[in-house]
Amino acid sequence: MDLVPALEEPLKKVLGPATAKVMAEHLGLHSVGDLLHHYPRRYEERGQLTHLADLPMDEHVTVVAQVADARLHTFASAKAPRGKGQRLEVTITDGSGRLQLVFFGHGVHKPHKELLPGTRAMFAGKVSLFNRRLQLAHPAYELLRGDAEETVETWAGALIPLYPATAKLESWKIGKAIQTVLPSAQEAVDPLPESLREGRGLLPLPEALLKIHRPHTKADIADAHARLKWDEAFVLQVALARRRHADAQLPAVPRKPAPDGLLSAFDDRLPFTLTDGQQKVSKEIFDDLATDHPMHRLLQGEVGSGKTLVALRAMLAVVDAGGQAAMLAPTEVLAQQHHRSIVEMMGELAEGGMLGGSEQGTKVTLLTGSMGTAARRQAMLDLVTGEAGIVIGTHALIEDKVQFHDLGLVVVDEQHRFGVEQRDALRGKGKQPPHLLVMTATPIPRTVAMTVFGDLETSVLDQLPAGRSPIASHVVPAADKPHFLTRAWERVREEVENGHQAYVVCPRIGDEEDDPKKARKSAEDEAEKRPPLAVLDIADQLAKGPLSGLRVEVLHGRMHPDDKDAVMRRFAAGETHVLVATTVIEVGVNVPNATAMVIMDADRFGVSQLHQLRGRVGRGSAAGLCLLVSEMPEASPARQRLNAVASTLDGFELSRIDLEQRREGDVLGQAQSGARTSLRVLAVIEDEEIIAEARQEATAVVEADPELTGLPGLRTALDALLDEEREQYLEKG
């Protein structure tokens, strides 16, 4: 019979069903290997209390200290009217500070017997403030009984690992469980090739696991971290390198623009010259298009840096070379907008085959899910005959019925809204795999690009085209200073009086049934117990109140597509003064005359989302204004996040702030799905060098041995990383 390898042994066999259940439900740990990779968050030196001045409010802490005194008080209360209520107050100290513990009612008996002055213990609980003093109410505790021969010195010097814990499972219980399974660490299979490990002087994996859970010195911890960071970076980069390698084996048709074809005719029409950045990035794209395996490129550009123009030139080059290009947009509003702006930019070149169209021109077709049957049929016909060189659409393009004459290039706008399975479905419509260009306006730090978009080569547009105006951003603290909000509406009126327009953005539509579970997500939301502000309510209040007399319209995702398009057309034509919308306007909406934006409940949006939204104003020659309205208190993390957004227009700087605040795990999307994050010790921002080096090493390993036949340990680690969920996540990019 096959023995289950030690690390795959399920925890319920080793630790018993009750503990295993809590570990699976609350920490996502199922096997011995999972538990060994549940690393300590930090280490406590025995006899060193987390300095009391540094105890964070409202957080679960674990402290190691000595009982200084314990007093039992009786008092009268509603439950114990005759003075029979009991309260035990215990003061603990670490020599540098003191902290009060309180126990009530029947909970006083056990601690009253055990927590005698002089006793040392670990205490875990949530720090709260009572009578202006920090306290832990009803903390869990574990007495520290040194063995008789253990001297005070060695006892005080030992490092106690503190694990990421939950209210259901204290750190020391996790620690005890880990001690139980630690011997199995000897059987851990090492994923790193020996040459790499020795070349970089890294510990073998079993030793690293031992040292991270039972360190004797701080150097042990540092060595273990250095080794485990490499594992994470390297295994992930090998996964990405294998995808790049597999993609590079695919054949593609090289697409070179004709010398005086459509692209030259388009360039001659442009009323301005391309920025240096646009020229450099275009060259990278054209070089890729000319090769006989598919381009896979990520084009990152600040909001308004002219990505669409670069993508359009790539599409024209492919049409020149006899192929077709498809642009995939995440929403109908955006697909219609791209279609409009591309047709405008191309002028008569977009009317190929029509009266008055240019000789060299081609047809630019729109295909979305809500089009009428006749229009749809015509669009499909244009695609299959090759009449339309360029098609712009939503995922309607991916449907089985849609056939192309010769699809040569797929441009995906805002990649984070599309999965690779959708990219692949569209790719499958080419006779050979088409070239792929992915665009995003969310600036991504280099390391994150290497981690999340590691299967794509990256081009960055960081210059803004001439004629873009600066955007002033301010936080409006609606609760502390209501007159600031009044002034915000006056500013909107002033912009309209000067012939401009404004957006007001809200987190919610307001016609849905208020589901209390949905309305309250984070602890900050809990604090205020009110659902996020809604478009329909705010539009109504503004039209009757501070903006009465102005033409106010609403736009949100649940409107009929024709209505949405009509609202956008009226706003673009300047007929509407103020557009009250949800984040449907976040991406790509271009109305140069809109100069002001007021974002309600701005603290409910992420940093990069606020940056995206703000990019909708200041698109013309007049300066832009963005007001971030929030009721969160001055000192809250939410307000600090808004201050950061108001303080800089640099998207790369903001994406770093965003990452530091969200903690790296989310970068790989695991936090969203509620599963464990695949990054445990690797910090995407700080460990930039390790990630870059791991990418080089991984590329070399995969080039030499794409199937990893000589590295069974690495194959096992890859399978573990790419279990279903993560595979899907990497797929979605």
Side-chain angles (χ1 to χ4, degrees):
M1 85 174 210
D2 277 351
L3 283 173
V4 180
L7 298 195
E8 286 169 31
E9 189 80 62
L11 287 174
K12 54 175 176 277
K13 283 199 172 157
V14 190
L15 302 174
T19 310
K21 183 169 185 248
V22 177
M23 287 195 169
E25 283 176 9
H26 293 273
L27 297 168
L29 308 175
H30 303 278
S31 67
V32 168
D34 289 345
L35 184 53
L36 286 173
H37 288 293
H38 186 70
Y39 307 134
R41 186 168 31 190
R42 55 190 183 85
Y43 300 84
E44 202 48 281
E45 289 182 48
R46 280 195 173 148
Q48 246 195 29
L49 189 57
T50 312
H51 284 297
L52 291 179
D54 303 339
L55 281 182
M57 282 294 294
D58 287 337
E59 276 195 34
H60 275 280
V61 296
T62 304
V63 295
V64 178
Q66 190 165 16
V67 177
D69 65 35
R71 296 190 184 146
L72 191 60
H73 301 275
T74 52
F75 60 91
S77 70
K79 283 187 181 161
R82 292 201 292 280
K84 293 276 177 63
Q86 291 192 306
R87 180 174 80 243
L88 176 65
E89 288 178 5
V90 179
T91 308
I92 58 172
T93 175
D94 63 337
S96 73
R98 299 165 88 78
L99 176 66
Q100 182 122 29
L101 316 176
V102 226
F103 301 89
F104 291 103
H106 296 301
V108 304
H109 304 309
K110 184 166 173 271
H112 191 214
K113 285 209 295 275
E114 294 182 334
L115 296 179
L116 304 171
T119 312
R120 279 182 164 282
M122 279 204 272
F123 302 92
K126 196 169 173 185
V127 182
S128 58
L129 202 59
F130 181 71
N131 279 347
R132 299 168 76 183
R133 284 167 59 196
L134 290 180
Q135 69 166 28
L136 295 181
H138 283 284
Y141 62 88
E142 173 86 345
L143 300 180
L144 295 170
R145 302 187 174 86
D147 298 336
E149 68 273 16
E150 195 178 26
T151 65
V152 176
E153 283 72 45
T154 58
W155 194 88
L159 292 162
I160 303 171
L162 295 182
Y163 290 92
T166 72
K168 294 263 192 302
L169 203 61
E170 287 96 10
S171 166
W172 55 81
K173 288 187 181 154
I174 298 172
K176 283 182 176 167
I178 285 175
Q179 296 302 345
T180 311
V181 301
L182 207 50
S184 312
Q186 290 310 325
E187 296 177 48
V189 187
D190 204 319
L192 294 189
E194 202 161 320
S195 56
L196 186 159
R197 202 186 72 227
E198 289 176 352
R200 294 185 178 273
L202 299 168
L203 299 178
L205 182 58
E207 194 181 329
L209 289 171
L210 220 58
K211 284 189 167 167
I212 200 157
H213 292 298
R214 294 203 72 167
H216 294 298
T217 61
K218 291 186 176 160
D220 283 355
I221 301 171
D223 292 348
H225 264 177
R227 159 63 215 241
L228 296 167
K229 280 182 176 184
W230 256 94
D231 277 18
E232 288 181 9
F234 181 71
V235 174
L236 183 63
Q237 290 303 335
V238 167
L240 294 164
R242 287 186 71 185
R243 288 203 46 170
R244 288 197 301 276
H245 184 268
D247 284 341
Q249 307 311 307
L250 298 170
V253 179
R255 309 279 178 173
K256 293 182 183 160
D260 0 303
L262 185 54
L263 181 61
S264 316
F266 174 76
D267 284 347
D268 294 342
R269 289 194 43 153
L270 280 178
F272 50 82
T273 51
L274 298 177
T275 63
D276 296 347
Q278 285 173 320
Q279 288 177 345
K280 178 177 127 290
V281 170
S282 291
K283 182 180 183 313
E284 292 172 345
I285 292 172
F286 290 156
D287 290 350
D288 281 0
L289 289 174
T291 62
D292 54 10
H293 55 84
M295 159 168 88
H296 288 105
R297 194 164 277 283
L298 171 68
L299 171 56
Q300 279 183 257
E302 265 294 8
V303 181
S305 56
K307 291 182 299 300
T308 314
L309 179 62
V310 169
L312 175 56
R313 292 184 72 242
M315 287 156 76
L316 295 173
V318 169
V319 175
D320 253 356
Q324 289 170 296
M327 183 182 225
L328 202 53
T331 63
E332 294 210 347
V333 168
L334 198 52
Q336 287 161 339
Q337 174 118 17
H338 276 316
H339 182 253
R340 264 203 301 275
S341 62
I342 283 174
V343 168
E344 266 167 39
M345 282 198 262
M346 288 175 64
E348 74 271 15
L349 296 175
E351 297 163 4
M354 294 191 248
L355 268 175
S358 155
E359 292 289 287
Q360 295 153 308
T362 185
K363 199 165 176 185
V364 180
T365 296
L366 176 71
L367 182 63
T368 63
S370 64
M371 282 165 75
T373 323
R376 236 183 120 87
R377 196 173 294 133
Q378 182 57 52
M380 311 261 269
L381 195 65
D382 292 345
L383 292 187
V384 78
T385 57
E387 182 86 7
I390 294 179
V391 58
I392 295 153
T394 52
H395 3 249
L397 284 177
I398 301 171
E399 289 170 12
D400 295 345
K401 296 194 284 288
V402 181
Q403 300 289 318
F404 288 83
H405 175 63
D406 176 15
L407 181 59
L409 169 68
V410 174
V411 178
V412 180
D413 194 16
E414 290 306 324
Q415 156 69 10
H416 55 279
R417 318 260 175 121
F418 279 109
V420 163
E421 58 280 3
Q422 290 166 309
R423 286 198 322 219
D424 287 346
L426 197 52
R427 264 192 206 164
K429 301 201 176 281
K431 296 189 176 72
Q432 282 195 317
H435 298 280
L436 174 71
L437 179 66
V438 169
M439 302 199 295
T440 176
T442 311
I444 306 162
R446 174 170 154 258
T447 42
V448 182
M450 282 195 287
T451 315
V452 181
F453 292 103
D455 58 336
L456 303 169
E457 300 299 326
T458 308
S459 298
V460 178
L461 272 180
D462 44 16
Q463 271 175 302
L464 286 188
R468 271 321 185 84
S469 302
I471 306 170
S473 308
H474 304 284
V475 178
V476 177
D480 320 347
K481 301 181 178 162
H483 59 283
F484 275 39
L485 185 56
T486 314
R487 176 75 190 115
W489 301 127
E490 287 168 9
R491 282 291 288 117
V492 170
R493 284 196 96 94
E494 288 162 17
E495 289 297 313
V496 172
E497 280 156 16
N498 291 333
H500 297 303
Q501 294 158 276
Y503 297 100
V504 177
V505 181
C506 303
R508 223 166 39 107
I509 297 174
D511 61 354
E512 61 272 0
E513 287 296 302
D514 280 338
D515 173 350
K517 284 211 279 297
K518 273 203 188 114
R520 303 197 188 124
K521 290 223 172 76
S522 69
E524 282 170 2
D525 293 2
E526 276 296 325
E528 49 189 29
K529 290 284 189 286
R530 77 165 169 71
L533 295 171
V535 166
L536 300 176
D537 309 343
I538 293 286
D540 196 38
Q541 290 166 22
L542 292 177
K544 290 179 180 157
L547 301 184
S548 62
L550 302 186
R551 286 192 296 281
V552 178
E553 287 210 61
V554 298
L555 178 71
H556 59 74
R558 279 214 287 277
M559 289 163 62
H560 187 280
D562 294 349
D563 299 343
K564 276 195 261 195
D565 198 40
V567 168
M568 270 321 294
R569 278 174 193 277
R570 286 195 293 274
F571 190 64
E575 293 164 23
T576 307
H577 295 137
V578 179
L579 187 62
V580 183
T582 55
T583 52
V584 288
I585 61 157
E586 173 188 352
V587 186
V589 171
N590 185 21
V591 180
N593 191 44
T595 51
M597 175 176 285
V598 181
I599 303 179
M600 307 302 291
D601 276 346
D603 47 272
R604 313 247 178 168
F605 298 99
V607 170
S608 56
Q609 210 176 15
L610 290 169
H611 182 59
Q612 285 282 344
L613 285 165
R614 168 170 65 185
R616 301 300 120 221
V617 294
R619 298 177 83 87
S621 50
L625 172 70
C626 178
L627 301 174
L628 306 166
V629 179
S630 170
E631 293 186 0
M632 297 308 289
E634 184 92 44
S636 62
R639 274 285 287 282
Q640 288 160 8
R641 207 167 59 229
L642 295 180
N643 292 339
V645 174
S647 68
T648 176
L649 290 172
D650 177 344
F652 286 92
E653 179 53 33
L654 284 175
S655 65
R656 287 184 84 104
I657 293 170
D658 191 22
L659 262 181
E660 280 158 10
Q661 294 197 331
R662 283 191 315 175
R663 306 211 174 103
E664 272 77 23
D666 298 16
V667 174
L668 293 191
Q670 294 299 309
Q672 281 91 313
S673 67
R676 286 172 297 127
T677 64
S678 46
L679 295 190
R680 300 198 186 82
V681 283
L682 190 69
V684 174
I685 298 267
E686 291 157 31
D687 297 324
E688 189 159 347
E689 279 155 34
I690 294 181
I691 293 172
E693 288 171 17
R695 179 173 167 128
Q696 281 178 338
E697 294 270 11
T699 308
V701 164
V702 171
E703 293 285 304
D705 177 6
E707 292 305 308
L708 309 178
T709 33
L711 298 165
L714 178 56
R715 284 224 310 279
T716 312
L718 256 188
D719 295 342
L721 173 76
L722 300 181
D723 57 25
E724 282 306 286
E725 203 162 29
R726 298 218 178 91
E727 181 83 82
Q728 282 168 9
Y729 182 72
L730 282 177
E731 294 287 301
K732 291 196 173 46

